[in-house]
C-alpha cells in the first residue's frame, strides 16, 4: 500500500467532504481523516435550506449520505482517528 497522498483532509463535515469530492475527482490521491461520526453538525439538522446545490426538503443526514456516495465514487480513502 502506498501511503503517499496528494491531499489529506482533516474532518468529514460538509466542507471536508466537498474538498474530498473535488480533489478525488481531479484524480489526486485523497485521504479523509474523520472521527467516529461522519458529517459534523449538519447531521443533526432536520432541514437544509441554505446549502449550495441542496435539493428541496433535504435533511442533514440525506445531504451527507449523498456526499459520502460521491466521495466513495471518486475513490477518496477514509480513515477513522481517535
Amino acid at each position: 500500500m502506498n501511503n503517499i497522498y496528494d491531499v489529506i483532509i482533516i474532518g468529514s463535515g460538509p466542507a471536508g467532504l466537498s474538498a474530498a469530492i473535488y480533489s478525488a475527482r481531479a484524480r489526486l490521491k485523497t485521504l479523509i481523516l474523520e472521527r467516529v461520526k461522519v458529517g459534523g453538525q449538519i447531521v443533526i439538522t432536520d432541514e437544509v435550506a441554505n446549502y449550495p446545490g441542496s435539493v428541496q426538503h433535504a435533511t442533514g443526514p440525506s445531504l451527507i449520505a449523498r456526499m459520502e456516495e460521491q466521495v466513495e465514487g471518486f475513490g477518496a480513502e477514509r480513515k477513522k482517528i481517535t
Side-chain angles (χ1 to χ4, degrees):
M1 183 169 127
N2 187 353
N3 290 328
I4 297 175
Y5 295 92
D6 297 307
V7 178
I8 298 175
I9 299 162
I10 300 172
S12 59
L17 293 175
S18 294
I21 290 167
Y22 284 105
S23 63
R25 184 175 179 213
R27 295 196 170 115
L28 299 173
K29 187 169 180 183
T30 303
L31 174 66
I32 306 166
L33 300 176
E34 59 191 12
R35 297 222 175 196
V36 176
K37 191 172 186 178
V38 176
Q41 286 293 115
I42 201 164
V43 295
I44 60 170
T45 303
D46 292 331
E47 181 182 4
V48 178
N50 61 340
Y51 192 81
S54 168
V55 296
Q56 190 173 10
H57 306 296
T59 64
S62 68
L63 175 65
I64 293 302
R66 286 195 317 275
M67 293 177 85
E68 283 186 285
E69 286 177 18
Q70 290 178 318
V71 164
E72 291 170 11
F74 287 118
E77 296 178 38
R78 295 161 60 180
K79 182 177 181 180
K80 301 269 187 210
I81 59 172
T82 56

